[in-house]
Amino acid sequence: MIEENLYVFKTKNFNKHQKKLIDKIFKIPLNPLNMDDGETLKHTDWNLPKRMQREYLEYFNKEIFPDYAKSFCEKTNCKNFVLTKIWFQIYGKGDSHNEHNHPSCHFTNVFYVKLPNINLKTKITCLSKKVIETNISEGDIISFPSYYFHSSPKNTNDEDKIIIAFNLDILK
């Protein structure tokens, strides 16, 4: 579905993938992140060396990304694109991520690996300051222009919210 320049992809057989992805994410040594503006993340690989082995990424690239890539290209009429950055974020109780955008890429993408409460979905705001309503669930990948501001509300749940985020550039 393309709406407000958004694309939502529903991962096939997500029940088969969820536990495997979470297990592989937690193979990365615990790496909490405290940002300058008071935001926190329970665990991320955003700032870890690129050479570090990431089994979750290998799994994602083999089992989920090919179907997403094919569907994204069909829906957006692009012939090809390049994945420019990928990382995971785990939001424990009290964690959040303030409004920001992703410069120097075309699309920002959020893959909801674990979403314990729909109120924890990403808040996306277009340039007109309109908050874009989304109907997403676990297993969905939402893609939107990287200049759209977005944030993650504070997790007030005891369960973690887990996402895999990635950036894309459209190629000719």
Side-chain angles (χ1 to χ4, degrees), residues 21-152:
L21 279 167
I22 292 170
D23 289 346
K24 292 176 185 308
I25 284 171
F26 276 103
K27 285 186 175 185
I28 304 284
L30 191 61
N31 184 44
L33 185 63
N34 295 312
M35 295 168 256
D36 292 338
D37 53 5
E39 301 168 285
T40 58
L41 293 173
K42 178 178 180 176
H43 189 24
T44 185
D45 63 343
W46 165 258
N47 58 346
L48 294 177
K50 289 182 181 183
R51 68 185 179 282
M52 175 182 262
Q53 183 178 7
R54 290 172 166 82
E55 288 183 35
Y56 82 90
L57 183 52
E58 294 165 14
Y59 185 89
F60 175 79
N61 283 334
K62 181 180 178 194
E63 300 294 333
I64 295 162
F65 193 73
D67 287 340
Y68 164 82
K70 180 181 177 191
S71 180
F72 182 83
C73 284
E74 287 172 359
K75 298 293 183 192
T76 61
N77 282 329
C78 79
K79 297 212 183 323
N80 202 2
F81 59 82
V82 62
L83 184 98
T84 58
K85 177 90 173 141
I86 186 167
W87 66 99
F88 72 82
Q89 293 181 179
I90 299 178
Y91 296 84
K93 190 170 189 172
D95 290 342
S96 64
H97 199 161
N98 290 338
E99 193 172 65
H100 64 285
N101 64 4
H102 293 197
S104 303
C105 65
H106 296 138
F107 282 89
T108 298
N109 308 269
V110 179
F111 176 29
Y112 294 93
V113 178
K114 188 171 180 190
L115 188 65
N117 185 312
I118 196 66
N119 294 326
L120 293 176
K121 68 183 179 179
T122 305
K123 178 184 168 190
I124 303 168
T125 308
C126 62
L127 292 178
S128 68
K129 305 288 187 202
K130 175 186 171 195
V131 174
I132 301 170
E133 289 302 317
T134 59
N135 184 18
I136 55 92
S137 58
E138 288 182 341
D140 291 352
I141 299 174
I142 188 166
S143 304
F144 52 94
S146 62
Y147 57 85
Y148 281 9
F149 284 89
H150 57 285
S151 61
S152 182

Side-chain angles (χ1 to χ4, degrees), residues 10-24:
K10 303 232 176 250
T11 303
K12 295 176 193 163
N13 303 313
F14 180 67
N15 297 356
K16 174 181 116 175
H17 301 297
Q18 185 180 36
K19 182 173 178 357
K20 291 176 185 177
L21 279 167
I22 292 170
D23 289 346
K24 292 176 185 308

